[in-house]
Amino acid sequence: MTAFLEGMPKAELHLHIEGSLEPELMFEIGQRNGIKLPFATVEDVRAAYKFHNLQEFLDIYYQGANVLLYERDFYDMTMAYLRRCREQNVIHAEIFFDPQTHTDRGIDMAVVINGICGALKDAEQEWGMSTRLILCFLRHLSAEAAMETLQQALPFKQHIVAVGLDSSEVGHPPEKFREVFDRARSEGFLTVAHAGEEGPADYIWQALDLLRVKRIDHGVRCTEDESLVKRLIAEKIPLTVCPLSNTKLCVFDDMREHNILTLLEQGVRVTVNSDDPAYFGGYMNENFLALHEAFNLSREQAVALVKNSFEASFVSEKELFEMNRKLEAYSQVAG
Ligand code: ADE
Ligand code: ZN
């Protein structure tokens, strides 16, 4: 089963590129840019990755991103993630980036986007990897700041498929960003939002009704509202669930308490994702393996989870057909 999970063609729909920055690369980039980290060694960095909630993680995650200054840095970080995708048979990835984390430090939007997109293009050309880019607004900052960020991103519109909402959830409800998301949709962007990770089920309703999102990122607290679960099933609204992230941030105390498989059995379109793999102990395969260890995942369940992510992705009908064909061919030969 381990080999089956590792070899399975997969898609990742919830990945913060800044959260893929491994300590080794963080040190390397910090050194060449003359940025001192508050840690002496890679081991010290890893030892600091013990979190009790989302905010404790975010404080360290934003600190790590401080080493990123130049186009080359964004390229190297993105390329390192895409290589992991290749190793783990992730054939399609929809990647979040947090421009405000960088523009607030005086870095140009163009530097961030050109660096990331350079790597996306090379991975597509070199090994046929398909990708999409999603711009996330930091919800702990103001709606005005988000609107300004959206405006700065308009010249790069052709590179960005959707906008999303991340960072500290509680106290920053989706309704705060209603106008920004209205504007984003009028500019042709699709929308997604983190909701129901630490925040209440009501934030999921708001994301659906006010921000008109196509997917909910995390959404695991939906189970606190039965009528919401019914709606997610009826409207086939995907949840981009991140098992290792949820246990590392104590959303669930133990993987065996995670609700992803209950939701799958109920008919919710749940998907498996890594969120911030450098911080939470693994990429896509490690997330599938952690689920397998906790629940003795069946092949049917694994394939259903991957199928959900293909169907929830923002690819064309033709690309979707091709992705499904690869998965079917794999399940037949491997199973
Ligand atoms: N930014 C990076 N990872 C995040 C998460 N899991 N929740 C909210 N914001 C994030
Ligand atoms: Zn996330």
Side-chain angles (χ1 to χ4, degrees), residues 14-16 54 57 96 165-167 194 197 217-218 240 242 245 275-276 280:
H14 184 156
L15 176 281
H16 302 265
L54 175 59
F57 154 69
F96 295 132
L165 196 58
D166 66 3
S167 193
H194 283 54
E197 178 186 18
D217 296 313
H218 294 293
T240 63
C242 309
S245 163
D275 205 7
D276 301 283
F280 299 147

Side-chain angles (χ1 to χ4, degrees), residues 1-61:
M1 190 59 187
T2 301
F4 180 81
L5 292 172
E6 289 174 348
M8 191 167 50
K10 299 174 256 306
E12 167 135 88
L13 306 178
H14 184 156
L15 176 281
H16 302 265
I17 198 64
E18 294 88 351
S20 74
L21 185 60
E22 293 285 347
E24 289 79 3
L25 187 56
M26 193 189 292
F27 266 92
E28 188 186 319
I29 296 176
Q31 225 147 39
R32 77 186 182 210
N33 289 346
I35 305 267
K36 261 218 147 323
L37 288 163
F39 302 101
T41 64
V42 162
E43 290 70 35
D44 289 351
V45 179
R46 288 226 160 81
Y49 290 177
K50 290 196 176 67
F51 317 110
H52 301 93
N53 54 50
L54 175 59
Q55 194 58 52
E56 285 184 13
F57 154 69
L58 289 169
D59 292 342
I60 267 197
Y61 159 86

